[in-house]
Amino acid sequence: MEGLLLIIASMRFEVTTLGTGAALPARGRFPSAQLLNIHERLHLVDCGEGTQERLRQAEVNFNRIGTVFISHMHGDHYLGLMGLLSSMHLNGRLNELNVYGPPELREVIDVQLRASQTYLRYPLKVHALPHASGVRVHEDAYVEVITLKLKHRIPTTGFLFRERTQPRRLRRERLMEIPHFARTAVKAGEDLPLADGTVIPNRELTLDPPPPRRYAYCSDTAFAPELVEHIREVDLLYHEATFTEELAERARETCHSTAKQAAMLARAADVGTLLLGHFSSRYKDNRVLLEEALPFFQNTLLAEEGRTFRIDQRTTVENSDVEVT
Amino acid sequence: MEGLLLIIASMRFEVTTLGTGAALPARGRFPSAQLLNIHERLHLVDCGEGTQERLRQAEVNFNRIGTVFISHMHGDHYLGLMGLLSSMHLNGRLNELNVYGPPELREVIDVQLRASQTYLRYPLKVHALPHASGVRVHEDAYVEVITLKLKHRIPTTGFLFRERTQPRRLRRERLMEIPHFARTAVKAGEDLPLADGTVIPNRELTLDPPPPRRYAYCSDTAFAPELVEHIREVDLLYHEATFTEELAERARETCHSTAKQAAMLARAADVGTLLLGHFSSRYKDNRVLLEEALPFFQNTLLAEEGRTFRIDQRTTVENSDVEVT
């Protein structure tokens, strides 16, 4: 059992919503920021004012964060970044940090580092995002990050986190036939040649890996049906739901979405679960937004400050045998 | 009594310490920010990340703040400013805001307003501070603000808030002799001519106004005895006390002060009360800093998050008669 727990831990794919508010934060609600843990690599998505305080509350070691993604240059999505960069520096960070954001972000960072005469100890790489969908901007061993062109007042980019295909899984009942030295090759899909010259086809020894998990982050945006093709069947879709239908006109004017519109998009894209966030401070109780979404998409949840949403590994029906990694 | 209470309220001179932490905030401690209420005019001094959240907790209407003073461009003293400026805008502010800060502050603000394509509805005037002591940079009907050249790693300016001399006070026992139409002139120091040609000298009708109250803000700074002449006998001196004596060498290297050094300066300047702040996050209990200061300056207090320190009006011994305004 201990081994099994370890396996689950090493396969994490989860989203912690650190802030769920819109531009004018309400009491107890913070501006946008999410922490993603994908196979124990930490990614920060948006970084509103106070994010480092939220990270501290969640007991996250800042220096474990390897990448930061900033969707756009409205203050409630990036104003916490400078403080975080500075705290990483003061905490003795030495490992590289990659920050992805709009082209303007680099100047905003540079001007402030210059003004404070701060010379970061760690390499900071600031990458300008294209304002287009479908561009792979980042990858590591476990995930690829692909851009989503959102529809907002200023250029805004959402992100699709797509788990990379994992190695094939060895069939438990054939395990004893596969020598240890050959296992990596077999997991990679190779057939197994035996000493007597015969070859065991890979399909007999392995199962397909679990399907890659996918998470899409769409904030801030007006209703944008052109996103559907990019986020089809993602496991989890975070979509802003700033307003109720009563304020649909206000949503249109400000390039935001209503909860119903978020649900309509989730339905059109046939996603697994819809997570609503970026709530206007006028709503004391966000359940009014949930109630507007549910009739259009039943599997809808409300983001909450500090709550973690885990995407579990699915095994497809054909591959429902016991899994050994 | 109701009248008396009203008088006291209209004569406020108080400091609320919204944040008392240093660069690396500890849990429950926030970076530098103070709210001054001087005769119901609100001034913000420094504005670390999260200041708008602190102001909201203190139930302060952001739009009542007329001036902001930023001491220097280290993030823990200014990173909350952009969010505050933006919230004022979103809250419909129309009245002018004056911001005083280092010359670099203007570019930092401009770059970010441009990046977010924000066009503020209210007039924002950003004034560059000289890096020198004794320059009057701001005044209104109730206060003058004078610079203090601090000794830090980057140019840093402290502020002396000096209440403007108030009108002379009418002697209660002579009140009936002074016609209503003449009272403003008499309060301004003029003699009172009577219908019969005689003149009552002003000194007979009035008392000196209470001595102007003064508050000095010194953060961040190494021990700087050259400040003494500028802050002599102020009612309240806020002075940073980042470290204990054990870390005096670290204080020297980082251009900060120990609690003892703050107390030594308060003693040399013969101030009324010393208020310590800007505590390093390494101190879980700030009383260790207070204990180091007390032997050198007895009238020492610790700044606390959200606590208000009131400077009461003093009447000098010669003018200890009952006061009528």
Side-chain angles (χ1 to χ4, degrees):
Chain A
M1 275 313 286
E2 213 179 319
L4 184 62
L5 286 171
L6 246 167
I7 288 162
I8 290 169
S10 70
M11 289 292 188
R12 271 196 219 190
F13 197 113
E14 60 186 36
V15 178
T16 302
T17 49
L18 300 167
T20 67
L24 266 181
R27 186 162 293 192
R29 222 180 279 161
F30 299 99
S32 293
Q34 300 192 350
L35 185 73
L36 271 58
N37 182 331
I38 300 178
H39 294 242
E40 297 309 315
R41 302 265 177 112
L42 301 187
H43 311 268
L44 188 65
V45 183
D46 277 341
C47 185
E49 186 173 349
T51 296
Q52 51 174 327
E53 185 57 25
R54 304 286 90 67
L55 287 169
R56 197 172 293 110
Q57 284 166 356
E59 299 186 344
V60 175
N61 175 351
F62 300 171
N63 289 351
R64 278 191 60 203
I65 297 169
T67 46
V68 180
F69 298 88
I70 300 293
S71 64
H72 66 300
M73 296 304 290
H74 281 157
D76 56 321
H77 292 259
Y78 85 88
L79 282 176
L81 183 60
M82 281 311 299
L84 183 65
L85 297 182
S86 166
S87 292
M88 286 171 167
H89 170 72
L90 293 170
N91 276 329
R93 181 184 183 115
L94 294 172
N95 55 320
E96 180 175 291
L97 181 71
N98 283 279
V99 176
Y100 297 84
E104 296 83 357
L105 184 60
R106 178 192 288 273
E107 189 188 4
V108 165
I109 294 173
D110 284 351
V111 161
Q112 295 186 84
L113 289 177
R114 251 196 331 267
S116 61
Q117 296 180 26
T118 301
Y119 306 96
L120 297 176
R121 286 189 197 94
Y122 59 91
L124 173 68
K125 295 198 177 160
V126 183
H127 309 268
L129 289 170
H131 189 221
S133 283
V135 182
R136 191 178 63 184
V137 288
H138 177 80
E139 61 173 337
D140 64 20
Y142 305 108
V143 73
E144 297 177 321
V145 184
I146 293 146
T147 56
L148 299 169
K149 183 178 177 178
L150 305 183
K151 212 156 124 183
H152 199 40
R153 301 196 299 283
I154 62 174
T156 302
T157 304
F159 305 99
L160 173 67
F161 292 83
R162 187 166 64 196
E163 191 178 28
R164 295 186 71 169
T165 303
Q166 297 304 300
R168 299 186 63 77
R169 295 166 299 154
L170 306 182
R171 287 177 189 264
R172 174 169 285 190
E173 69 278 13
R174 308 293 297 265
L175 204 53
M176 300 306 288
E177 302 169 47
I178 315 169
H180 272 279
F181 68 83
R183 287 186 179 180
T184 303
V186 172
K187 282 183 183 176
E190 292 180 26
D191 298 335
L192 181 67
L194 298 182
D196 65 4
T198 60
V199 169
I200 310 181
N202 188 279
R203 296 283 321 172
E204 289 182 18
L205 299 173
T206 65
L207 297 168
D208 286 343
R213 290 168 285 185
R214 290 183 302 150
Y215 169 62
Y217 175 83
C218 297
S219 177
D220 304 3
T221 188
F223 180 64
E226 63 272 25
L227 289 174
V228 167
E229 61 171 311
H230 299 284
I231 61 172
R232 199 179 301 282
E233 294 177 14
V234 296
D235 300 274
L236 181 64
L237 167 64
Y238 172 87
H239 196 287
E240 71 130 294
T242 311
F243 299 111
T244 54
E245 275 301 303
E246 198 188 359
L247 291 171
E249 181 56 26
R250 176 105 186 106
R252 206 187 53 77
E253 283 165 13
T254 57
C255 290
H256 283 297
S257 296
T258 65
K260 177 184 165 187
Q261 288 172 329
M264 295 299 281
L265 196 78
R267 185 159 78 172
D270 195 16
V271 308
T273 301
L274 169 65
L275 183 59
L276 300 179
H278 202 267
F279 310 121
S280 164
S281 61
R282 55 171 60 72
Y283 304 112
K284 301 288 164 255
D285 184 346
N286 298 329
R287 277 175 300 185
V288 59
L289 294 153
L290 181 63
E291 279 156 21
E292 286 205 353
L294 284 172
F296 301 94
F297 192 78
Q298 208 181 349
N299 207 1
T300 302
L301 300 172
L302 288 174
E304 285 173 39
E305 314 283 324
R307 188 168 160 200
T308 298
F309 300 86
R310 204 177 70 189
I311 305 175
D312 289 323
Q313 219 149 33
R314 290 177 303 176
T315 43
T316 57
V317 177
E318 315 86 89
N319 290 323
S320 59
D321 302 65
V322 174
E323 170 190 340
V324 177
T325 48
Chain B
M1 276 313 286
E2 211 179 322
L4 184 62
L5 287 172
L6 246 167
I7 287 163
I8 290 169
S10 70
M11 289 291 187
R12 270 195 220 189
F13 197 113
E14 59 186 38
V15 178
T16 302
T17 48
L18 299 167
T20 67
L24 267 181
R27 186 163 292 193
R29 221 179 280 163
F30 301 99
S32 292
Q34 299 192 350
L35 185 73
L36 271 58
N37 181 331
I38 300 178
H39 294 242
E40 297 309 314
R41 302 267 177 110
L42 302 188
H43 311 268
L44 188 65
V45 184
D46 278 342
C47 186
E49 185 173 351
T51 296
Q52 53 173 328
E53 184 58 26
R54 305 285 90 66
L55 287 168
R56 197 172 294 111
Q57 284 166 356
E59 298 186 346
V60 174
N61 176 350
F62 299 170
N63 289 350
R64 279 191 59 203
I65 296 169
T67 45
V68 179
F69 298 89
I70 300 293
S71 64
H72 67 300
M73 296 304 290
H74 280 157
D76 56 321
H77 292 258
Y78 85 89
L79 283 175
L81 183 60
M82 280 312 298
L84 184 64
L85 297 181
S86 166
S87 291
M88 287 172 167
H89 170 73
L90 293 170
N91 276 329
R93 181 184 184 116
L94 294 172
N95 55 319
E96 181 175 291
L97 181 71
N98 283 279
V99 176
Y100 297 84
E104 296 83 359
L105 184 60
R106 177 192 288 273
E107 189 189 3
V108 165
I109 293 173
D110 284 351
V111 161
Q112 294 186 85
L113 289 177
R114 249 195 334 265
S116 62
Q117 296 180 26
T118 301
Y119 306 95
L120 297 176
R121 287 190 196 94
Y122 60 90
L124 172 68
K125 295 197 176 159
V126 183
H127 309 268
L129 290 171
H131 190 220
S133 283
V135 181
R136 190 178 63 185
V137 288
H138 177 80
E139 62 174 336
D140 65 20
Y142 305 109
V143 73
E144 297 177 320
V145 184
I146 292 146
T147 56
L148 300 169
K149 183 179 176 178
L150 304 184
K151 213 156 122 183
H152 198 41
R153 300 196 299 283
I154 62 173
T156 302
T157 304
F159 305 100
L160 174 67
F161 292 82
R162 186 166 63 195
E163 192 178 28
R164 294 186 71 168
T165 303
Q166 296 303 298
R168 300 186 62 77
R169 295 165 300 152
L170 306 182
R171 286 177 190 266
R172 174 169 285 191
E173 70 278 14
R174 306 294 297 266
L175 204 53
M176 301 304 288
E177 301 170 48
I178 314 168
H180 272 280
F181 69 83
R183 287 186 180 179
T184 303
V186 172
K187 282 184 183 174
E190 292 181 26
D191 298 335
L192 181 66
L194 299 181
D196 65 5
T198 61
V199 169
I200 311 181
N202 187 280
R203 295 286 318 173
E204 290 182 17
L205 299 173
T206 65
L207 297 168
D208 287 344
R213 290 168 285 185
R214 290 184 302 151
Y215 169 62
Y217 176 83
C218 297
S219 178
D220 304 4
T221 188
F223 181 63
E226 64 272 24
L227 288 174
V228 167
E229 61 170 312
H230 299 283
I231 61 172
R232 199 180 300 283
E233 293 178 14
V234 297
D235 300 275
L236 182 63
L237 166 65
Y238 171 86
H239 196 288
E240 71 131 291
T242 310
F243 298 111
T244 53
E245 275 300 302
E246 198 189 358
L247 291 170
E249 180 56 24
R250 177 103 186 107
R252 206 187 55 75
E253 283 165 12
T254 56
C255 289
H256 283 298
S257 295
T258 65
K260 177 184 166 186
Q261 288 172 329
M264 296 297 282
L265 195 79
R267 185 158 79 172
D270 194 17
V271 308
T273 300
L274 169 65
L275 184 59
L276 301 179
H278 201 266
F279 310 121
S280 164
S281 61
R282 55 171 60 70
Y283 304 113
K284 301 289 165 255
D285 184 346
N286 298 329
R287 277 175 298 185
V288 59
L289 293 153
L290 181 64
E291 279 157 21
E292 286 205 354
L294 284 172
F296 301 95
F297 192 78
Q298 208 180 350
N299 207 1
T300 302
L301 299 172
L302 289 174
E304 284 173 38
E305 314 283 324
R307 188 168 160 200
T308 298
F309 300 85
R310 205 178 68 188
I311 305 175
D312 288 323
Q313 220 149 32
R314 288 178 304 177
T315 43
T316 56
V317 177
E318 314 85 88
N319 289 323
S320 59
D321 302 65
V322 174
E323 172 191 339
V324 178
T325 47

